[in-house]
Amino acid sequence: MTAEYFLVLGLIGVAFFAVAGALLGYEKNISGFGVVVVATVTALGGGTLRDILLSKPIFWIETPDYLYSTYAAIIATVLLIRYLPSVNNYYFLVVDAIGMAIFNIMGIEKALISGSGLVVAITMGITTGIFGSLIRDVICREVPSVMRNEPYASACLAGGLVYAALFSQDISYIWCILGSLITTISLRLGSLHWGWHITIFRKKDREVSQKSEVQNS
Amino acid sequence: MTAEYFLVLGLIGVAFFAVAGALLGYEKNISGFGVVVVATVTALGGGTLRDILLSKPIFWIETPDYLYSTYAAIIATVLLIRYLPSVNNYYFLVVDAIGMAIFNIMGIEKALISGSGLVVAITMGITTGIFGSLIRDVICREVPSVMRNEPYASACLAGGLVYAALFSQDISYIWCILGSLITTISLRLGSLHWGWHITIFRKKDREVSQKSEVQNS
Amino acid sequence: MTAEYFLVLGLIGVAFFAVAGALLGYEKNISGFGVVVVATVTALGGGTLRDILLSKPIFWIETPDYLYSTYAAIIATVLLIRYLPSVNNYYFLVVDAIGMAIFNIMGIEKALISGSGLVVAITMGITTGIFGSLIRDVICREVPSVMRNEPYASACLAGGLVYAALFSQDISYIWCILGSLITTISLRLGSLHWGWHITIFRKKDREVSQKSEVQNS
């Protein structure tokens, strides 16, 4: 039962991230085959790193369905954009948030199955959730989402804590997943909509100009 | 026999990529030891990722000959540049194309030997072919070649399809390799010479300025 | 005995790199949770790559103490910066140099234990020493330290050669470590203080402007 949920969630997760990658490629006006590369890296990067770290076979090599799901989502997105060119940045953020929330859970789950403790599992969830989009942003020369002062990795962390709390109460698996998904997605999208942000450091006046340079360059 | 071809091809491939990395370091005027780091990462990055993904021992740890070939090629390139400083960007592109074509084949071959199907194998070939130069471009803060609207990953894809087609016809191994090499290299160099390009998306007028920013920054 | 030294050295090494990552995040005015991500990647990146390459279990998954040491160092640094905001770039460079020197030794040591030869081991030391800070600089859109014309990877190389020389003389383990640490740290900090640099290529006049662009952008 768990394995089936896992596969379905995973296929949906890679598809969402593939769409997010293709949309960013479109935004950055990469018109060639590079769009496929960026979208594939976004979709498979986080889970690949998770499997490498846990010394498991890479998920898309063991189960090529993930690869087919990725390629199908990319082709669908490319066709959609060609015929509906009004797609905008808002869709990208929603799709990216859903993908991140799903991968966060999958990272936690797979680490727990491998016998890791909770701190390692939550770290693995964050890694799985943010790594694909981190590589995508680096390749596209964007400021990585995780470096902006909006909840991103912290939305993964919150989703992970909710998952752990529900799981420890022996609540049914499907509710653990839903609770974590809703927490991560609503924190991420809520923060974008209402401008929530986390401040660990008080801003330094002398570097405000330097900061804006980083964010805009 | 196959293993010997494989070793010889690989030693040539890492040497070509090491030369390409050292030439880019020279172009970017990195004058210190960083040139060696960039060239080594370029030469070994793609094959290292391939071996990690396939859960094989890393090729240059198992067979240090690859490491010696890399270092020898770097030293030779540095000496050549010091005494023949007229080396220009054209050599870089040729050397980079040959290295990519060789690594593409090696990625496909090693994935097939591991029992992967054709879609996974061709994905692995592209990954092996482009990953070293992708890290190199990220470290050197260049726009990654794969993001430019010229055949790059797609030249690997074409080479992979030719390889698969010839292989499925029971044609002798050496001709499969040659056919794939010629396809990839001629597509890549032909596109640079005659300006071929692939257009997946129609250009968006409103973002042409944004695009040129990406390409030039 | 060796294993205990190894653990203590490692816990100190990840803590130093975590501090260096948090300080760079502060310098770049990342005020949110991204600071934790950058610091964690810096602390664990090099050792993670080493363990992946050597096909060993990842050190912070096998021994979560490393993860706790990283998080504790990050929290301590954040608190310190909040109450002592006069922390400056000099501390960053010292902490970064010490972390690099420790990881260099740990990479060499772990490769030798795995049965690798000396060239592979020294390559692994450099990889372990520089990879965490390389990812950190890429994520923060800094020119990677290793690309600047100051001893960085070469300080690791020197430390590795000293370690190998002392080790081959059957000198006590603690002196091998100290000799290597002192060599790497003093080369790195000495070069920053007195402006030593390595010149592999003679500078090309026509590209001096391009170079300054790379270094300043």
Side-chain angles (χ1 to χ4, degrees), chain B residues 6-136:
Chain B
F6 208 76
L7 178 63
V8 172
L9 252 187
L11 292 176
I12 296 170
V14 296
F16 269 101
F17 261 163
V19 172
L23 287 175
L24 186 67
Y26 178 62
E27 274 304 301
K28 300 287 285 186
N29 230 320
I30 302 165
S31 71
F33 196 72
V35 170
V36 180
V37 175
V38 169
T40 307
V41 167
T42 310
L44 305 178
T48 301
L49 180 60
R50 175 200 63 206
D51 292 342
I52 293 171
L53 294 177
L54 294 173
S55 307
K56 302 274 171 204
I58 308 303
F59 69 115
W60 54 270
I61 296 177
E62 200 182 36
T63 314
D65 295 336
Y66 290 106
L67 206 54
Y68 308 147
S69 172
T70 301
Y71 292 148
I74 294 170
I75 292 168
T77 310
V78 166
L79 292 177
L80 203 74
I81 291 174
R82 285 180 76 107
Y83 297 105
L84 282 169
S86 65
V87 167
N88 64 34
N89 198 39
Y90 180 73
Y91 295 99
F92 166 73
L93 293 170
V94 173
V95 166
D96 188 58
I98 297 172
M100 185 177 75
I102 292 176
F103 271 102
N104 183 32
I105 293 172
M106 292 184 69
I108 294 170
E109 187 64 17
K110 210 159 178 177
L112 291 175
I113 291 172
S114 300
S116 301
L118 201 64
V119 177
V120 171
I122 288 177
T123 303
M124 195 64 69
I126 297 174
T127 305
T128 313
I130 71 179
F131 188 72
S133 59
L134 183 57
I135 311 183
R136 178 195 65 205

Side-chain angles (χ1 to χ4, degrees), chain A residues 3 11 15 24-25 28 37-38 43 76 87 101 106 114 119-120 128 140 145 153 162 171 180 182-183 191 198 202 204:
Chain A
L11 291 175
L24 186 67
K28 299 289 285 185
V37 175
V38 169
V87 168
M106 293 184 67
S114 299
V119 177
V120 171
T128 313
C140 290
S145 304
V162 166
I171 287 169
S180 172
I182 291 167
T183 306
S191 74
I198 294 170
R202 281 167 290 194
K204 290 184 289 178

Side-chain angles (χ1 to χ4, degrees), chain C residues 5-17:
Chain C
Y5 272 127
F6 206 76
L7 178 63
V8 171
L9 252 188
L11 292 176
I12 296 171
V14 295
F16 270 100
F17 261 165

